[in-house]
Structures are given as structure tokens and as C-alpha cells.
Amino acid sequence: MDRNSARKETYKQSHLIILIVYTVMSVVLVIESFIMNWEKWAVMLVIAVLVTSWFMHIRSVLRDRDRLWLYSCLMMVTYFFYGVHLTSTFDMALVMCVVIAIYTITGEKPLVRLCQVFYMVTLGFDLVTMISQGEEITPLLVTRSLLHIGMIILAGWVACMIIDKWTKIIGSSSEEIATLKEQTDRLNNFLANVSHEIRTPVNAVMGLSSVLEKETLPENIEDNIRAISNAGHRVAEQIGDILDFTEIDMNRLSVNNEPYMIDSVVNDLLSQLSHMDQNDLDLVIDLDASVPAELRGDGEKIRKILHHLISNGFKYTREGGVYVRIYSVPREYGINLLLEVRDTGIGMSEYEIEHIYDKFYQSDSSKTRSVGGLGIGIPIVNGFVTAMNGFMDIQSKRGIGTTVKVSIPQTVEDNSKCMSVRNKENVSVGGFLGFMTTGNIGVREFYMDMISNMVAGLYVPFHRIQSRSELEKLLKVSNISHLVVGTGEYLENREYIEELSKTIKVAVVLDRNKSLTTGGKITLIPKPLYGVQVANFLNQTIDDELVEGHEKMMCPGVRVLVVDDEPMNLLVARGIFESYGMIVDTVHSGEASIAKCAGEDYDIVFMDHMMPEMDGVEAMKRLRVQASHMRKDICVVALTANAISSAREMFMSEGFDGFVPKPIELPELERVLKHVLPKAAVKYVFDDNEGRKIGSKKETDGKAEKPAAKAGTDAAKPDETSHETGTAGSGEKFHEAKESSAGKSNSDAKSDSSEKDAFSVLDELGVDTAAGLAYCGGDEQFYKELLAEYAGDPDAKLGELTRYHDSKNWKDYSIKVHAIKSTSKMIGAMDLSSLALFLEEASKESDEEKVESRHKVLMESYEKLIRTIYNTYGAGSRASDGPDEDVLEFGPKGGDL
């Protein structure tokens, strides 16, 4: 708050106080006037002026400062009327001292002077009147007058001194507040920039690990890849939290208003939670069937709210679990969406509840604390809820647990139920579920509430079964159509339940992190069990053909162009998109995408934002103009690490058809694909446990549709960007690498030794090869591919950077060092990455002095590194190798795959 703001706030607060004092004085004056039989016309005038003052205050007539001065002048006139009566001559000094003390709060020394002047005028008027009436001037009269004048002068001096001190304190405090605010804004911007930059290597970690997870690998390798993937998701979540927190703290949070389906929000939430270590705790999801199927609001923020609350529940719960209830209450504007999250954790004290909304607050913030986290989860939730015009309530008791309730107003797009059962009259459900009788009372209540609400919402009869004998008796007296069985109950009664699956529909609720091979026609429903899964199961009949495995979205034959100036990002994107059966081409600039689209037709163009010479927004607009002239449609989706809450709105307003943030989250990607692609282009297949596609959801004659061949099987077209297209899919590359590795003979020992020597050379240059290998999931072959991409065409890369520097083109220079920073971090060149970060920030500010201080150092280090890598892994190495050298071709000429 600056000095002017402080003074403005003071005016607002002092207005009412001055007016109240004026009112009290006027009332006293009116009473005394009637007692002393003073002038009645003046009394009426005082009352009229008082009413007018209150009217002006209520209606805010005039500016604040002008109004304050008007009140003061009217008060002084009233004071003069009081003082001119000789009976008040020696009483009015005390009254004026009180008035001066009150005026100190205004911080206006001129008003204090006004009070002193009016006192002197009034006293002078009284003395003149007394002398004119023949009053004798006695020593007592003189001394009393001088004493009262001294009192007023002293009171004014004290008041002015207080105002000076107060103004000085306010001024220094305002400067300190401004400094702290500036530092806070800088810190928030720094956190946002750091989070943004970390997204590039995290994108590589998550993208490559997701590709590797689809491969058939040894069990120990699969465990390592899964651990890398989980770690990548955790880092991505924390990056997102930091970005959300800084936006809330800087009042830059943007709330989207678009249609979303509540069951999709829950599915995405469960997909995200699958990467979290739940410490054998139960998660119970209770989605009310009456919640409208489609709402309008910010579904992504609702998912984040639930994720934070569930994560907190897991964090502070040792045994038991977390219960999530999602329901709605109808309102004139739509509904209030109610989210309730309960846990059986350690609970909180009243003090902790009071401080839980504070930034970075944690109940145990010591170095030996037993839980992790950044301490910003609840502030983020509170910020989201407030931004969406909702409210949040937290109730907790030590040793019992915590309940958080959130209410958010939403409009309704589709008022039909979010889940329902067809042919309810033919459905009767039996539940042979041991986990409903768990020893933890809290969890047992969670499951009972969930089952009770689900059965009431779906309007189907449910029979709870606790033993095999009860099941046998029930089947004799009831027409059970569907049976839901727990994992333990199935394993204990495997043959009996598999026999039952021939006559009734059977589903086994699969415990988390458990695999199970079943016989018969049994459906597997993974935990956490919730209504949508059960409704889908109840809509099946015994005559439906069972397709084992999980459903996977595919887009066979869809042609995709990925535009990114960073080759590693192109490599990751290719691997992800090809896993959906898409035909993928890549180019490294906006201009190249325009040329490519002039000769080729693409269903989707995924466009990066920050690129040299022509950024993604300009490239998208030129693509649209070109497509309009060619009389064809084009779909362009932003694919960028710019993931602030307002980014989606900004890109959509610029004309993009969709927005996918990096690192690429598959649920978000699939949601965008389903939105921008025709329905006929999206198909669903089922994967078995080994990842083989074994059937299509859309069948006509019982035979599954065949997905389109991968783009990697197509021949590359010999054009100027052919080095970027037609390469094998990432999954195929990994497969080839593994086969090559598995087929090594003893004659390859010399080659292995040379590879280790090459890594040693990189270590000597300051490259942390261990970190680089970790980014690649421990796959040396793929790490060498990334190194080759990093160092591809060194002369062109160095020349481009030098050209931007010499021409003082700081915009493109910053983009180039931005790429060096991100890619260097991915291969483990941390020192070079830090140096590039310094130059990126300096060039963005056009600080030529800072750039010059480090540019030469960067060029020397960068040139030495890429030439060493180029000669070891790039074309320079392959040119000298014999024809029998067993390496994969990367096409380093253009620097892109």
C-alpha cells in the first residue's frame, strides 16, 4: 500500500467517526438550545444541515476529501453557534480539545489548524461582546482566557506531532510493503518460470516412460520403468501445484467455463491417483447417480480440488481410508456441486484448522516430519473454490479424522443422470464382498454408505452376501442376474464362481496392484469400486461376449503433423501419437509447417508456441489463411509447456481448436482428440495383459476391426523435410534396440568398452550421464539417440546462435538458448543448462551487458560438447564406421527425427 492509498483508506475510516461526533454535538446543542431558550431558527438550521450531511455520506456525494472538509466546516459553524453564547465562553475550550483529538485520526494538519482558528475567532467574539456589554476586564478574565488559548495551542501542537509521526510510520511501512510485494511477485514469477522450464525434461520422462510401459520387458525393468513414470507424474503434479499457487497469489487465476462430464472428471482423477502410493489404504468413491451428466464450468479445477483433498487424506491417514462423496443440489441457476472428502486419519486441532489456509502451513514442519508435500494444497483448493464462487468448510477432531466439504455453483448442459441401468426390472444384484466387513469401522461405514447411495441412485435391488452358504441359499430363492465378488472371495471359491459365471454375470473387484487370471466369463473391475463401473457391468447380460483386458482409445489412420523446434520433443510426441495408430510427420518450424501443409492433408496439426522466427500463433493463423485459399479445413491444437490457467483461454481466443499442455497427460490428450476429431475417427480396442489389441468395441460380424498400420511402416517422401518423417515408431525402435541387445555375442565386448569410454568423455566435459540415462528410463540405446539429436548439424546450430547474437536479435536468441537450456538438462549437461538459463533471462530483458558477459563462455562450452557428441554418436561417427556397425539411423542432418 503506497502513501496515497493509506491516506485514502484513512479518509474512508474517519468520515464516519467525524460524522458521528458531529451528530452527537448537534444533538447536545439542540437540547441545550431548548433548555437555554436560544434561537429556534438556528436550531432548525443545525438539524437540516445534519440531515444533509448524512444524506451526502450515504450517497457518497463529492469526493472523499471534499466531503470530509465540508463536514468539518459545518461542524465549526455549529461550534461557533454554541460558543457565541456567553454561558459557553469558558466551556468551549474543553469541547474543542476533544474535537482536535478526534481530528488527529484524519491525518490532516490543516483541519487541526481550522479547529484552532475557529476557537480563537469564537473566543475573540465572546470577549468583544463581554466588553461591549460593560464587563470589567479583570486579571482573572485575562488569565482564564490566556490559559484556554494555551490549552488549544498545546492540543493542536500535540495533534500535529502525532500526525507527523503517524505519516512517517505509514510512509516507511508503505515502502516496506511495496518492497515485500515486489519481492513476492519476483519470487512468484521465478517459481512460475522454473516450473515452466522443468516441464520440458519432465515431458521427456513421462512420454518416454509411457512408451516403454507398452513394451514387453523383463519384470525388473518394468518395475523400474513404472517407478520412473510414477516419479515423473509426481514431479509434474508438483510443477502444476506451483503454477496454480503463484497464479492464485498474484491474482492471475483464470476460470474456464466449458462443458464437461462429471464421470470423465472422476475417470481422469482415478487415472492420476493410480500413480500415487496409497499405503494399502482404501479409497471409496461415491458418485451420486442423480448428478447431471454434463455440466458447464471448470472441470479441470474440480478434478484438482478432489486430487488435493484426497492426497491430503492419504498423507495424514495411517490406517483406514478416504471416502469421496460427489452429489448435487438443484438451484435456479443449475446446481450446487457438492464435494465431500472424509478420512480416518489423525485429524487436526482447532489451532491447525485455523491456520490450514495459510501459505506453506503444515502441522508438522520439522525436518523429521513423517509426511511430504509443499504445504500449498489447501490454499490452492481455497483459491480455486473462491474463484468459482463456491465455499469450503473443514471439520476435524484429533484422532478421529477430517471432513472437508466444498460447494461450487454450476450450470447444467445435460440434465440426464450421469449413470443409469437399462432394464432395471430384469436386474438383481448380489454382493459377495469381504472388504465391506473390514475391521476398520470407518472404512466399513464408507463402503456401506457408498453401496447404499449407489443402489438407491440406480434403483436396483442389492443382496449383501457374507459366505458361500448364504450365496447358495440366495440363488435358490432369488433370481440373481449379476454377482459382484471380492478378490479374496473369488480365490477361496474359484471353481464354484467360475461355474456360476456360465449362468449369471459375474464381476470380480480386483484389489489394487493385484493381477488375476480368471476362467469363465468373468469381468474384472479394478478398485476403487464406484457407481459408473457398476452401472456399466449391470448393463451387460449373460449373452454379451466378454472381451478381457482394458479398453484403449485408438485413432487409426489419422494423419498428424507435429511442429516443434526441439527435436527431443518431436521424438516424444511421435512415440505417443504413434501408440494411438496415427500417421505422424514432424517439422521443426512454423514456416516448415506451412510448406508441409501446402502439399499434404493432415487431420490435426499439433503446434508448439515458442519457436524462433515464427511463433506458433502466427504459424497457426497463416495455416488458416492458406487452408482458406485452398478451400479446405484445418485443425490446429496448441501443444506447449505454457500451462498457466489463462493459457487455454488465450490459445482458444487466438483461434486454436484445442490445447494440450506439456508434459502430455494421456487423459487430457484423449479428451482433446475426441473433441476435435470426427466420431468415426475414434475407435476403441481392448488390450490384453500383454498390451496386444485383441478386439474392437465396434464390431459388426464378431471380428475386430484392424487398426491402421503405424506411420513408421510408410516410406518417407524425399522432400525437404523427409529427414523428419517416415522413421520407425518409437515403440518399434525400442523393440529393435532390445532385440539387438539380446542378440549380442562376445564379439561385441569391444564395442561395449568403447561405449563406456565415450560416456567417460562426456563425464569429463561435465555431462552427468547417469542423469541423462535416468531421463531415458535407463535405456542406453535411446540415450544415444537423444545425444545424436542434441548434437545434430553442429555448424548450423552454432551459426544460427551466432547470427542472432551478432544481429542483436534478442527475441530469437532467447528462444534458441531456451532450447539449449532444456535439451542440455535432458542429456545431463546441468552446468551448460544453467548458463543457458542465465542468458535466456538476460536476452528476454534485452540486457546486452549481461548477455555479453556469458555468451562467449556458452559458445565455447556448447561447441566443445556438441562436436564431441557429434563425432561420437552423430553422423561424424557413422561416416567412419564400417558397414557392419550395428546402429540405428537417426537422420542428424537436419537435427530432427
Side-chain angles (χ1 to χ4, degrees), residues 455-726:
V455 170
L458 296 177
Y459 296 104
V460 293
F462 178 85
H463 306 272
R464 180 181 168 191
I465 305 163
Q466 300 188 42
S467 65
R468 175 172 171 174
S469 59
E470 284 189 19
L471 175 59
E472 292 173 346
K473 291 178 183 178
L474 180 64
L475 291 173
K476 291 178 181 179
V477 298
S478 299
N479 186 22
I480 299 297
S481 62
H482 294 75
L483 178 64
V484 183
V485 184
T487 301
E489 289 68 32
Y490 171 76
L491 294 176
E492 291 176 4
N493 307 277
R494 182 190 292 264
E495 293 183 0
Y496 175 69
I497 291 174
E498 288 179 356
E499 186 65 26
L500 282 179
S501 68
K502 297 178 182 178
T503 55
I504 62 175
K505 289 297 296 181
V506 176
V508 174
V509 180
L510 186 62
D511 291 340
R512 194 170 183 271
N513 296 327
K514 293 281 181 68
S515 59
L516 188 65
T517 302
T518 62
K521 299 172 66 175
I522 294 178
T523 300
L524 293 179
I525 300 178
K527 275 189 177 182
L529 176 69
Y530 77 107
V532 174
Q533 298 168 308
V534 175
N536 290 337
F537 169 64
L538 298 183
N539 283 322
Q540 300 175 12
T541 67
I542 191 63
D543 297 324
D544 291 339
E545 181 180 353
L546 178 69
V547 183
E548 295 184 4
H550 66 276
E551 194 175 76
K552 174 176 171 57
M553 176 179 162
M554 295 292 291
C555 305
V558 171
R559 298 208 63 188
V560 172
L561 177 66
V562 185
V563 188
D564 199 312
D565 64 314
E566 177 46 56
M568 295 186 189
N569 288 340
L570 293 174
L571 185 63
V572 171
R574 175 184 290 283
I576 291 175
F577 293 139
E578 285 183 346
S579 69
Y580 286 89
M582 299 179 182
I583 301 172
V584 184
D585 286 348
T586 60
V587 292
H588 63 276
S589 69
E591 290 182 350
S593 70
I594 295 171
K596 192 72 173 172
C597 290
E600 302 281 349
D601 290 333
Y602 292 98
D603 298 295
I604 309 180
V605 177
F606 285 95
M607 183 76 69
D608 185 30
H609 179 211
M610 276 189 66
M611 294 184 292
E613 297 179 5
M614 182 187 296
D615 67 14
V617 175
E618 183 182 353
M620 176 273 297
K621 291 180 178 179
R622 292 196 182 186
L623 283 175
R624 294 212 182 279
V625 171
Q626 176 177 273
S628 176
H629 291 162
M630 299 174 67
R631 296 186 177 180
K632 63 181 183 181
D633 295 327
I634 188 166
C635 175
V636 187
V637 174
L639 180 63
T640 173
N642 187 352
I644 60 175
S645 62
S646 57
R648 182 190 305 273
E649 183 178 345
M650 183 271 287
F651 285 116
M652 298 300 284
S653 65
E654 289 287 355
F656 284 90
D657 296 290
F659 169 77
V660 177
K662 298 176 187 174
I664 299 173
E665 292 279 2
L666 298 187
E668 179 67 20
L669 173 63
E670 291 179 0
R671 184 183 300 111
V672 172
L673 289 174
K674 285 186 282 189
H675 177 71
V676 301
L677 288 175
K679 290 185 177 180
V682 179
K683 302 187 185 302
Y684 293 88
V685 299
F686 289 86
D687 284 2
D688 64 7
N689 293 332
E690 297 180 358
R692 297 186 298 266
K693 301 176 188 65
I694 60 175
S696 173
K697 185 175 180 181
K698 298 180 180 179
E699 297 180 356
T700 54
D701 57 357
K703 295 182 179 180
E705 299 177 11
K706 294 182 180 181
K710 285 189 175 182
T713 61
D714 298 338
K717 295 187 178 182
D719 58 13
E720 60 179 357
T721 57
S722 63
H723 64 279
E724 299 177 286
T725 62

Side-chain angles (χ1 to χ4, degrees), residues 843-887:
S843 56
K844 282 182 177 178
E845 297 174 358
S846 298
D847 192 332
E848 187 174 340
E849 184 178 350
K850 282 187 177 181
V851 172
E852 294 298 341
S853 68
R854 300 288 181 87
H855 171 75
K856 186 176 180 181
V857 179
L858 174 79
M859 291 296 293
E860 291 175 353
S861 301
Y862 185 48
E863 180 175 11
K864 185 175 182 181
L865 179 59
I866 62 174
R867 291 201 184 280
T868 301
I869 295 175
Y870 183 76
N871 292 329
T872 306
Y873 298 107
S877 170
R878 289 194 291 277
S880 60
D881 288 339
D884 297 329
E885 185 69 19
D886 184 19
V887 296

Side-chain angles (χ1 to χ4, degrees), residues 720-835:
E720 60 179 357
T721 57
S722 63
H723 64 279
E724 299 177 286
T725 62
T727 57
S730 296
E732 295 170 3
K733 290 182 182 179
F734 285 119
H735 185 64
E736 292 170 12
K738 287 193 292 289
E739 286 183 349
S740 175
S741 177
K744 279 187 177 180
S745 64
N746 293 334
S747 63
D748 293 329
K750 185 176 180 180
S751 175
D752 290 341
S753 176
S754 65
E755 289 173 5
K756 292 178 181 178
D757 291 341
F759 279 2
S760 299
V761 171
L762 294 180
D763 289 332
E764 291 174 1
L765 291 176
V767 178
D768 187 351
T769 54
L773 282 168
Y775 279 130
C776 297
D779 191 300
E780 288 190 9
Q781 185 65 30
F782 197 74
Y783 182 45
K784 287 185 284 185
E785 289 187 47
L786 290 184
L787 289 171
E789 290 293 346
Y790 178 82
D793 202 353
D795 291 332
K797 290 182 176 180
L798 294 168
E800 192 173 28
L801 189 59
T802 300
R803 185 171 70 253
Y804 292 147
H805 169 267
D806 293 345
S807 63
K808 294 182 171 36
N809 181 354
W810 302 128
K811 178 183 177 182
D812 289 338
Y813 182 88
S814 67
I815 294 174
K816 205 65 187 174
V817 292
H818 166 87
I820 294 174
K821 172 196 61 183
S822 302
T823 55
S824 297
K825 185 178 293 186
M826 291 170 69
I827 68 168
M830 302 305 180
D831 291 341
L832 184 59
S833 177
S834 299
L835 184 58

Side-chain angles (χ1 to χ4, degrees), residues 182-248:
E182 182 181 358
Q183 292 176 349
T184 301
D185 289 343
R186 286 182 179 179
L187 177 60
N188 285 332
N189 283 324
F190 170 75
L191 290 174
N193 289 335
V194 168
S195 302
H196 174 83
E197 299 308 334
I198 296 175
R199 281 181 172 268
T200 298
V202 170
N203 180 44
V205 173
M206 294 174 60
L208 299 177
S209 60
S210 68
V211 173
L212 285 169
E213 283 181 313
K214 296 181 176 69
E215 298 298 316
T216 304
L217 300 168
E219 185 175 352
N220 62 325
I221 300 295
E222 286 184 347
D223 292 339
N224 292 337
I225 296 300
R226 194 176 300 111
I228 292 172
S229 178
N230 291 341
H233 279 85
R234 182 178 177 184
V235 173
E237 290 168 8
Q238 291 177 335
I239 292 171
D241 291 347
I242 293 172
L243 287 172
D244 291 335
F245 176 77
T246 54
E247 288 182 7
I248 292 170

Side-chain angles (χ1 to χ4, degrees), residues 41-236:
W41 64 268
V43 172
M44 295 298 105
L45 184 61
V46 167
I47 295 174
V49 169
L50 180 63
V51 172
T52 303
S53 299
W54 276 105
F55 174 79
M56 295 175 64
H57 176 76
I58 294 171
R59 299 297 298 270
S60 296
V61 178
L62 303 178
R63 295 180 305 170
D64 291 342
R65 193 168 187 271
D66 294 341
R67 216 163 52 242
L68 182 61
W69 272 90
L70 180 61
Y71 298 157
S72 301
C73 291
L74 292 174
M75 184 184 295
M76 291 302 103
V77 172
T78 304
Y79 176 82
F80 181 79
F81 171 70
Y82 165 74
V84 294
H85 297 91
L86 297 182
T87 55
S88 306
T89 300
F90 295 106
D91 296 334
M92 62 182 183
L94 181 61
V95 175
M96 184 56 77
C97 285
V98 173
V99 172
I100 288 174
I102 293 173
Y103 267 93
T104 305
I105 66 172
T106 66
E108 288 279 357
K109 288 197 291 184
L111 288 177
V112 175
R113 303 299 185 200
L114 178 69
C115 293
Q116 290 178 309
V117 168
F118 260 85
Y119 174 79
M120 300 301 179
V121 170
T122 307
L123 180 61
F125 182 86
D126 284 353
L127 292 175
V128 170
T129 303
M130 291 168 66
I131 293 171
S132 64
Q133 292 179 358
E135 182 78 25
E136 184 180 354
I137 302 176
T138 63
L140 179 61
L141 177 62
V142 173
T143 54
R144 289 180 69 184
S145 299
L146 292 176
L147 177 62
H148 286 195
I149 291 172
M151 285 175 55
I152 297 300
I153 293 174
L154 181 62
W157 177 77
V158 172
C160 290
M161 185 177 65
I162 292 173
I163 290 173
D164 287 338
K165 292 288 185 182
W166 176 82
T167 304
K168 185 177 180 181
I169 292 172
I170 288 293
S172 61
S173 299
S174 299
E175 291 174 1
E176 291 177 4
I177 291 171
T179 302
L180 290 173
K181 187 176 184 302
E182 182 181 358
Q183 292 176 349
T184 301
D185 289 343
R186 286 182 179 179
L187 177 60
N188 285 332
N189 283 324
F190 170 75
L191 290 174
N193 289 335
V194 168
S195 302
H196 174 83
E197 299 308 334
I198 296 175
R199 281 181 172 268
T200 298
V202 170
N203 180 44
V205 173
M206 294 174 60
L208 299 177
S209 60
S210 68
V211 173
L212 285 169
E213 283 181 313
K214 296 181 176 69
E215 298 298 316
T216 304
L217 300 168
E219 185 175 352
N220 62 325
I221 300 295
E222 286 184 347
D223 292 339
N224 292 337
I225 296 300
R226 194 176 300 111
I228 292 172
S229 178
N230 291 341
H233 279 85
R234 182 178 177 184
V235 173

